Amino acid sequence: LEGIVVDELIFLGSASFAGGGDAELRVRENSNGHSIVYVDTDGDGSGDMRILVSNHLGMSVSDFVL
């Protein structure tokens, strides 16, 4: 994500994007055993990209280099 996000990303866990101007990253798990990483690159509270992480649950801040 380096080069896409100007400032540091804030890890929210499963919380919703705040939309306060900060770039944020959140994770949602689905019933198929996958995690979906959502990234709000411009801090507007709306996801700008998503990444499917197959067969991996329980992602935490230590899974990312922020």
Side-chain angles (χ1 to χ4, degrees):
L1 298 174
E2 186 177 329
I4 296 174
V5 176
V6 176
D7 295 319
E8 124 182 27
L9 276 167
I10 297 171
F11 182 78
L12 301 174
S14 61
S16 297
F17 291 129
D22 295 317
E24 298 171 321
L25 181 147
R26 63 184 298 261
V27 178
R28 186 178 68 85
E29 297 176 350
N30 68 23
S31 60
N32 295 325
H34 308 304
S35 292
I36 305 168
V37 179
Y38 295 91
V39 183
D40 176 6
T41 60
D42 55 12
D44 67 353
S46 177
D48 299 305
M49 76 173 73
R50 66 179 175 216
I51 303 164
L52 175 66
V53 183
S54 297
N55 302 312
H56 186 74
L57 298 174
M59 297 186 82
S60 67
V61 67
S62 64
D63 292 308
F64 301 93
V65 177
L66 306 174

